[in-house]
Amino acid sequence: MATSDTRTQILDAAERLFAEHGYRGASVRAITDLAGANLAAVGYHFGSKAELLAAVVRRVVEPIYTAQARGLERLLAATPEPAIADLVEVYAGPLFDAIPAGEESGARTSRLIMRILGDPAEEMRAWTGEAEAAILDRYLKAFGRALPGLSPEELWFRLRGILAVAAADRVEVHNHQPPLRGEAARGWAITFLTAAMSAPPTGG
């Protein structure tokens, strides 16, 4: 097996097992067994299990972050104070676009995102770098300007909710054959999430 093929096989196996079992539940041996690679291959290609997880997550989320960043740039170039619906569209839209309905790869990506949100292992949150943090910060500021009454904590909670809704929908769609709703769910989700983001502050 070529070196690049081995690396890809390990990434594919790790994505599946991390999504299914979490960081601590997916052993390096199980990953390499599934990938058809030797145990030392993880160290050779990635350095450690934590760095393998980081590579898996970045492979999944980088296209989403890139699309989110470009969407926000286009939106802010058009208007410095975009509407909440437009912000939701450019933030949530790439989650649906990058996670195809009815495809195993999309369902696996969705399960991984859900695992990232809920797994207690610190490694599940330690993969982010400056680029990811900068994009998130730009969205927090844009939504904060549109929703000045929300506390930073409640705003972050709502943004996390967008991730959870998108990921949960893609998993649920995949579990039905033929897939239910198809891409109509994207529009429904944008409408629902816009209403949720626009709600008055809790207790306000």
Side-chain angles (χ1 to χ4, degrees), residues 71-201:
L72 185 58
E73 287 171 5
R74 289 193 301 269
L75 192 57
L76 293 177
T79 173
E81 302 294 338
I84 295 172
D86 294 329
L87 287 169
V88 171
E89 171 68 38
V90 295
Y91 185 73
L95 293 164
F96 288 87
D97 298 338
I99 305 174
E103 295 184 15
E104 174 56 35
S105 62
R108 188 170 59 245
T109 296
S110 300
R111 286 192 289 267
L112 181 63
I113 291 173
M114 294 293 286
R115 181 66 69 174
I116 292 168
L117 291 172
D119 196 302
E122 180 59 33
E123 289 83 355
M124 279 292 190
R125 282 162 294 282
W127 60 271
T128 54
E130 291 182 5
E132 294 86 5
I135 294 168
L136 177 60
D137 184 64
R138 292 189 69 196
Y139 269 100
L140 285 169
K141 288 178 178 176
F143 274 110
R145 289 192 297 270
L147 297 161
L150 281 186
S151 68
E153 294 79 10
E154 186 165 4
L155 177 57
W156 173 229
F157 176 86
R158 293 187 186 189
L159 279 184
R160 289 181 74 248
I162 291 177
L163 297 175
V165 167
D169 176 82
R170 299 292 90 175
V171 171
E172 195 271 339
V173 167
H174 174 78
N175 287 338
H176 293 81
Q177 296 298 330
L180 295 177
R181 304 185 309 276
E183 291 310 306
R186 186 187 192 280
W188 298 343
I190 298 300
T191 299
F192 168 75
L193 293 168
T194 297
M197 290 298 293
S198 302

Side-chain angles (χ1 to χ4, degrees), residues 29-65:
R29 182 173 295 279
I31 291 168
T32 53
D33 284 350
L34 182 60
N38 65 60
L39 196 61
V42 167
Y44 175 78
H45 289 283
F46 303 98
S48 67
K49 180 182 175 183
E51 290 175 79
L52 170 59
L53 172 67
V56 166
V57 177
R58 288 198 182 100
R59 186 176 70 156
V60 167
V61 303
E62 279 183 353
I64 297 173
Y65 272 122

